[in-house]
Amino acid sequence: MFKHNEQQPEGFQASLKEALDNLAFNDAGLVAAIAQQHDSGEVLMMAWMNREAIEETLATGRVCYFSRSRRKLWRKGESSGQVQMLKELRIDCDGDALLVKVDQTGPACHTGRRDCFYWKADASNVTIDKAPIKDPKELYGK
Amino acid sequence: MFKHNEQQPEGFQASLKEALDNLAFNDAGLVAAIAQQHDSGEVLMMAWMNREAIEETLATGRVCYFSRSRRKLWRKGESSGQVQMLKELRIDCDGDALLVKVDQTGPACHTGRRDCFYWKADASNVTIDKAPIKDPKELYGK
């Protein structure tokens, strides 16, 4: 469906069901989901969604991923309190990646940093260049 | 290495080699790479890199991915002319995703649209809401 309709004009519409039936889920039934803060444009994190997580996110307006380590739905913030409210969910041209525009409360990263991309690489080294905005012990100590 | 050093302060450094040795490449030897326009913050596309693509990108300053369909290095723009120059490459907290800040010439998407995320989803439908900024025939007809 995605390839077939890629030359359609703005305004072209299909049902969510048809889109989900045609997403390019990997062997584990997942697609990559990029979370971006809707107003500042910061890329916060990358995680994974299965079909159920996408449907729940769109139905509830609160972002739900699929945790590969825990093998279950992961309502972002359920243990840390740092939830993501959905502003916009987008699918890419070949149906194998999602862009989720969110309103993130506090840090998106389990380390207490605002975002997960705190290692900056150059041709010789990688360097941590971001500090936590909340103590991770506070996030998970509850 | 990523988990082990996640509580290190700003300025903590390791070698690029150690970081690449510890990236969480998937079974195909790839990590996800999110391309973001460095100044506007637009998320342009998601693609994949193997170790060689990361090393080449950092060494040359021109973004190189690994094409899963063609099974080879893919110097973005090599057929379309729409190159990505590297501004910054970042690694996430668990070493399985990259954020590549780029300066994108023209459209990032093979459809001629500026970015690949042109399907907007809601609880019932998906809708194309972006138009090409260049005719794709022009991009690949050369």
Side-chain angles (χ1 to χ4, degrees):
Chain A
M1 173 213 144
F2 292 102
K3 185 74 190 160
H4 181 70
N5 288 311
E6 68 181 26
Q7 293 187 36
Q8 298 285 1
E10 280 178 274
F12 178 81
Q13 210 164 56
S15 70
L16 178 66
K17 182 183 180 307
E18 189 184 352
L20 297 181
D21 286 347
N22 286 281
L23 278 186
F25 291 107
N26 68 13
D27 292 346
L30 304 174
V31 286
I34 302 160
Q36 181 180 34
Q37 174 65 25
H38 73 103
D39 45 8
S40 66
E42 300 161 274
V43 174
L44 299 168
M45 56 182 282
M46 199 197 85
W48 298 85
M49 289 187 178
N50 63 3
R51 183 176 181 136
E52 201 182 342
I54 300 170
E55 287 172 335
E56 177 172 318
T57 297
L58 288 168
T60 65
R62 181 172 161 193
V63 180
C64 175
Y65 298 103
F66 184 84
S67 167
R68 293 182 300 172
S69 54
R70 285 175 282 154
R71 297 184 187 191
K72 59 173 192 170
L73 290 180
W74 161 33
R75 286 151 197 109
K76 176 71 180 161
E78 62 193 0
S79 50
S80 68
Q82 313 301 303
V83 301
Q84 288 180 350
M85 299 308 294
L86 181 70
K87 291 290 179 175
E88 203 171 277
L89 192 149
R90 294 182 164 276
I91 305 170
D92 80 344
C93 53
D94 48 9
D96 70 352
L98 307 176
L99 175 60
V100 188
K101 299 198 182 189
V102 304
D103 193 13
Q104 168 75 56
T105 301
C109 186
H110 75 284
T111 64
R113 295 178 178 88
R114 173 68 173 167
D115 71 78
C116 296
F117 297 94
Y118 55 81
W119 289 96
K120 188 173 166 178
D122 62 35
S124 320
N125 295 297
V126 294
T127 308
I128 292 181
D129 70 351
K130 296 181 185 183
I133 57 171
K134 270 209 176 177
D135 185 339
K137 287 189 202 89
E138 245 180 75
L139 294 175
Y140 299 98
K142 296 179 281 202
Chain B
M1 174 211 144
F2 292 102
K3 185 75 190 161
H4 182 69
N5 289 311
E6 69 182 25
Q7 292 187 35
Q8 298 286 359
E10 280 178 275
F12 178 82
Q13 211 163 56
S15 70
L16 178 66
K17 184 186 177 306
E18 189 184 352
L20 297 181
D21 286 348
N22 286 281
L23 280 186
F25 291 108
N26 67 13
D27 293 345
L30 304 175
V31 286
I34 301 159
Q36 181 180 35
Q37 174 65 26
H38 73 103
D39 46 7
S40 67
E42 300 162 274
V43 174
L44 298 168
M45 56 183 281
M46 199 198 84
W48 298 85
M49 288 188 180
N50 63 2
R51 182 175 183 139
E52 200 182 344
I54 300 170
E55 288 172 333
E56 176 172 319
T57 297
L58 287 168
T60 65
R62 182 172 159 192
V63 180
C64 176
Y65 298 102
F66 184 84
S67 167
R68 293 182 299 172
S69 54
R70 285 174 283 151
R71 297 187 187 189
K72 60 172 193 171
L73 291 180
W74 159 36
R75 287 154 196 106
K76 175 71 180 163
E78 62 192 1
S79 50
S80 68
Q82 313 301 303
V83 302
Q84 288 180 350
M85 299 309 294
L86 181 69
K87 292 290 180 177
E88 203 172 277
L89 191 148
R90 294 181 164 277
I91 305 170
D92 79 345
C93 53
D94 48 8
D96 71 351
L98 307 175
L99 175 60
V100 188
K101 299 198 182 188
V102 304
D103 193 14
Q104 168 75 54
T105 302
C109 185
H110 76 284
T111 63
R113 294 177 178 89
R114 174 67 174 167
D115 71 77
C116 296
F117 296 95
Y118 54 81
W119 288 96
K120 187 173 168 180
D122 63 35
S124 321
N125 295 299
V126 294
T127 308
I128 292 180
D129 69 353
K130 296 181 185 183
I133 58 171
K134 267 207 177 181
D135 185 337
K137 286 187 202 91
E138 246 179 74
L139 294 175
Y140 299 97
K142 295 180 281 203

